[in-house]
Amino acid sequence: MLIGNIGALALRALFAVTALSIVAHVAAIWTTHSLWRRLSRVAMTVQFVFVAVASAALLYLLITTNLNYSYVVDYTSRGLPLVYRVAAFWGGDAGSLLFWSLVLTLYGMVVALSRHEDSERMLPVVSLLVTVVTLFYTIVMNVGANPFNRLAHAAAVGNGLNPLLQNPGMTVHPVNVYLGYIGFTIPFAYAVTGLLLNKTDATWLRVTRRWTLVSWLFLGIGIIYGAHWSYEELGWGGYWAWDPVENAALLPWLTATAFLHSSIVQERKGMLKAWNVVLITLTYFLSLLGTYLVRSGVLWSIHAFANGFLGIYYLVFMAVILVFTVTLIILRWPSLRAERQFEAVVAKESAFMLNNVLFLGATFAILWGTVFPLVSEATTGHQLMVSAPFYNAVNLPLAVCIILLMAIGPFVAWRRSSLANVMKSIWMPFVLAVVLGLATTLWLRAMYTAPTVLATSGVIAAYFAILTVVFEYVQSVRARMVLTGEGWFVCLMRLLNRNRRRFGGYIVHLALAIIALGIVGSGSYHIQKQQVMSVGDTATIGVYQAKFVGMGVSQGLHGETRTMYANLVITKNGQTIGVLRPSATFYENGNSPTTNVALFSRPLRDLYVVMLGTASNNEAIFDLHINPMVQFIWYGGYLFILGTLVSLWPERKPALRRAELGVVVDNLYEDLADLEYDHRMGKVDGADYEQQKLELEQRIALSEQDRQARRERMERELKEEVRRLGHGSTTGGASS
């Protein structure tokens, strides 16, 4: 009881702590006094400490299965393995809100203790915004979803964690999704801070780049691992069902992907300022929408907590965030104008913009399909669901276009390029991609089923993206070898070391292209067969034969479950491969039975077998699938993590040069470096290179002169001020 009381007390006290923190942050902003700024930082640490105490108390209650608390009764039982009692922390509504607050206050504390450009002005405002969000979750927990609610009498047994959640994925998928959702709070808070301070340069982008990338990485891992979990656990043969909550996780990931690309344009060229603020606002808003769909119960989903009471809180909070941010953007619109304009249609800046349009097109299509049941219910009184064909019809062509652009983008130069140069650069990887794509399509057709035009286009586009990454690496290494005379491996390592952002991004492109191959292969060439089999019968699917040799029943370790299984001997070309054992588990506590998938996985295909049920005369009903290339999705997921980590790894920044020369001159030197790189990579031909180089050198010379003039003027003004103050002091001393 003592631990539970401590947790409940910490949660109540958190309300007072966040309220006092807001006072400290406002005072730090208003007075700019160093004492209030220190208190503002300390307040963020205190918030985290109180949430950590409450979290530790709840974990203790879950691990010790204290059945005096309703949350513990709902999500654990005495026979539940330790790892799932820990996972129950975020497995229910109230616990996941506490976990959410724990991560949010941890992020807030790390931000408050950081130091960066203009941090003295920005951090109190950022801390204030993060604390307001924390206050919202504190209110929700104390009023509507308190994990420390006690029962009048201790329960005799717990309900245990939902059997579908008793999977190692429970320790990975939800945690990563939460880390991603919550992480977007930080770049959003910095963007709003920039607007409030009327500081609309790229400072907030430079400061929050890693926050955005880490959140995007976590959300990406959560999505991919969730798909893998669904594939192995739910037993329907697929991994993505366009479920509303699945869609809700994908939406902010798509807008964050667009934001990661457009933020590069603002950082390097001073363009797309307003666009980036809108994108990060949209990303944060969509992450709130995802939590609303999970907790409101307005849409049915296997992932939802269905607590309609909390939905009202989220709706009000989302409305406040939306109105406040949109008003702020409108008020600051004049200062969000770009420092430079687009110079040409064929340029990397334009390619990034087109990339953004495609990502947003996919986002709004998925968003419309997700909320359409709510719209239909509001207008017709009936909730009409949108099924997979709608999503596939709209999004798959967009996905092919995105992959094609991902392949072409690296060959387009900054500022301006020409179609001739782009075509000259891409023709070889494109021709190879067409050859490889058609060969793969013919093989898949011979093995499984006839292809569609869209599937063939998807395979070619994926090969094209893979080959352009390979070409980019090879050409970069060769260019460096010519310049330095170093070996290829040394050149490769130094390229990765000196430009991790660019080459880490290429690895991510490679990963996404491999994932695309897996999606096309498993989605378009998947074959399925359902068959009622008696002992001794054989089912043939693809290149495999499955012979049913018998069934059995096993008892769970503590007698709480019974598992009925079937043995299928698998052969291929007359050779025995092994035995697959699909099964179904029945629970003594009345939970619905669950199916257990039997998988035979190879890099090019999975044999996937589910026992749907039994029939009379010792018969069983089997659902057999062959999913070609589905493993590519999981391999691509690992590569996606690697590429993002390479991009995240810190680089040596030209801080001295930036500080010394100023942003405008710095951007011009960046342009010159880009031009040099693009010329060496063959993206800009000789005449255009010379012309652009001359233009840039002239602009740099003018900017340097301007900078020198401004420095001399400032020095004169400083000397004049010093002289004036010295004169005043002398005069004052004489008077006294």
Side-chain angles (χ1 to χ4, degrees), residues 351 354-355 358 396-412 422 426 429-430 433-434 454 456-466 468 509 513 516:
L354 180 57
N355 149 301
L358 292 173
L396 294 184
L398 285 174
V400 172
C401 293
I402 289 172
I403 297 169
L404 284 172
L405 189 59
M406 193 169 76
I408 297 171
F411 291 106
V412 181
V422 174
I426 67 171
F430 181 72
V434 171
L454 187 61
T456 306
S457 305
V459 172
I460 292 173
Y463 275 122
F464 188 25
I466 291 170
T468 54
H509 282 192

Side-chain angles (χ1 to χ4, degrees), residues 18-40:
T18 49
L20 290 173
S21 299
I22 289 174
V23 173
H25 300 322
V26 170
I29 297 165
W30 192 263
T31 66
T32 68
H33 195 283
S34 60
L35 174 63
W36 282 111
R37 285 182 173 168
R38 283 198 294 274
L39 285 174
S40 171

Side-chain angles (χ1 to χ4, degrees), residues 229-272:
W229 182 7
S230 171
Y231 180 66
E232 292 189 343
E233 187 67 28
L234 296 184
W236 60 281
Y239 44 84
W240 191 266
W242 295 108
D243 176 279
V245 176
E246 290 176 352
N247 296 349
L250 183 61
L251 290 170
W253 189 85
L254 290 172
T255 52
T257 308
F259 172 70
L260 283 169
H261 287 87
S262 61
S263 64
I264 297 172
V265 180
Q266 183 178 345
E267 279 190 68
R268 299 176 74 103
K269 309 295 176 186
M271 304 158 76
L272 305 180

Side-chain angles (χ1 to χ4, degrees), residues 702-722:
L702 288 173
S703 297
E704 289 280 20
Q705 289 174 7
D706 179 62
R707 181 188 63 83
Q708 184 62 28
R710 281 188 287 114
R711 174 178 287 179
E712 290 172 359
R713 187 181 71 246
M714 288 172 66
E715 286 176 352
R716 284 197 304 273
E717 290 173 355
L718 182 62
K719 286 178 182 176
E720 179 64 23
E721 186 69 13
V722 169

Side-chain angles (χ1 to χ4, degrees), residues 38-291:
R38 283 198 294 274
L39 285 174
S40 171
R41 294 191 187 99
V42 170
M44 300 303 286
T45 304
V46 175
Q47 287 176 40
F48 171 70
V49 169
F50 274 78
V51 180
V53 169
S55 301
L58 181 60
L59 270 174
Y60 179 83
L61 297 178
L62 291 167
I63 291 171
T64 57
T65 324
N66 190 324
L67 299 180
N68 288 291
Y69 292 86
S70 59
Y71 187 81
V72 179
V73 173
D74 288 342
Y75 297 102
T76 67
S77 59
R78 290 203 170 90
L80 196 68
L82 175 63
V83 65
Y84 298 128
R85 276 179 276 163
V86 173
F89 181 23
W90 49 82
D93 199 355
S96 66
L97 280 172
L98 183 57
F99 179 75
W100 190 291
S101 302
L102 178 69
V103 177
L104 180 62
T105 52
L106 174 63
Y107 285 176
M109 181 181 69
V110 172
V111 167
L113 296 177
S114 65
R115 290 288 184 277
H116 55 73
E117 182 182 348
D118 208 9
S119 58
E120 288 297 306
R121 273 207 317 153
M122 298 186 82
L123 281 180
V125 185
V126 171
S127 300
L128 173 64
L129 294 168
V130 174
T131 302
V132 168
V133 178
T134 304
L135 179 62
F136 165 71
Y137 289 109
T138 306
I139 293 171
V140 172
M141 284 189 290
N142 277 289
V143 175
N146 193 326
F148 297 103
N149 282 338
R150 284 179 57 181
L151 298 169
H153 303 284
V157 294
N159 297 330
L161 198 63
N162 185 326
L164 291 175
L165 301 181
Q166 294 180 35
N167 181 290
M170 189 60 190
T171 62
V172 179
H173 164 63
V175 173
N176 278 282
V177 171
Y178 289 152
L179 290 173
Y181 274 162
I182 303 164
F184 290 128
T185 308
I186 305 302
F188 170 73
Y190 268 96
V192 172
T193 298
L195 293 176
L196 287 170
L197 297 176
N198 204 13
K199 182 179 173 58
T200 55
D201 59 14
T203 302
W204 71 277
L205 291 174
R206 288 192 290 273
V207 173
T208 61
R209 176 181 166 268
R210 286 195 177 80
W211 283 103
T212 309
L213 209 49
V214 167
S215 307
W216 182 75
L217 171 64
F218 280 132
L219 191 55
I221 293 172
I223 292 170
I224 294 171
Y225 200 89
H228 198 185
W229 182 7
S230 171
Y231 180 66
E232 292 189 343
E233 187 67 28
L234 296 184
W236 60 281
Y239 44 84
W240 191 266
W242 295 108
D243 176 279
V245 176
E246 290 176 352
N247 296 349
L250 183 61
L251 290 170
W253 189 85
L254 290 172
T255 52
T257 308
F259 172 70
L260 283 169
H261 287 87
S262 61
S263 64
I264 297 172
V265 180
Q266 183 178 345
E267 279 190 68
R268 299 176 74 103
K269 309 295 176 186
M271 304 158 76
L272 305 180
K273 288 182 178 180
W275 182 253
N276 283 321
V277 173
V278 170
L279 273 182
I280 196 60
T281 302
L282 184 60
T283 300
Y284 182 62
F285 184 80
L286 289 173
S287 69
L288 289 177
L289 179 68
T291 57

Side-chain angles (χ1 to χ4, degrees), residues 573-592:
N573 299 328
Q575 293 189 338
T576 301
I577 296 173
V579 176
L580 287 183
R581 180 173 283 184
S583 61
T585 301
F586 300 85
Y587 300 88
E588 295 295 328
N589 63 5
N591 279 329
S592 300

Side-chain angles (χ1 to χ4, degrees), residues 656-697:
L656 180 62
R657 196 185 73 177
R658 183 178 293 279
E660 184 182 335
L661 299 178
V663 174
V664 174
V665 183
D666 193 43
N667 284 342
L668 290 172
Y669 276 109
E670 293 273 6
D671 286 350
L672 196 57
D674 289 335
L675 178 64
E676 197 64 39
Y677 177 82
D678 290 337
H679 175 58
R680 288 181 187 178
M681 298 298 292
K683 300 172 191 174
V684 180
D685 60 29
D688 198 18
Y689 162 72
E690 293 297 339
Q691 184 184 349
Q692 289 195 48
K693 186 178 178 182
L694 182 62
E695 288 174 11
L696 284 172
E697 286 174 344

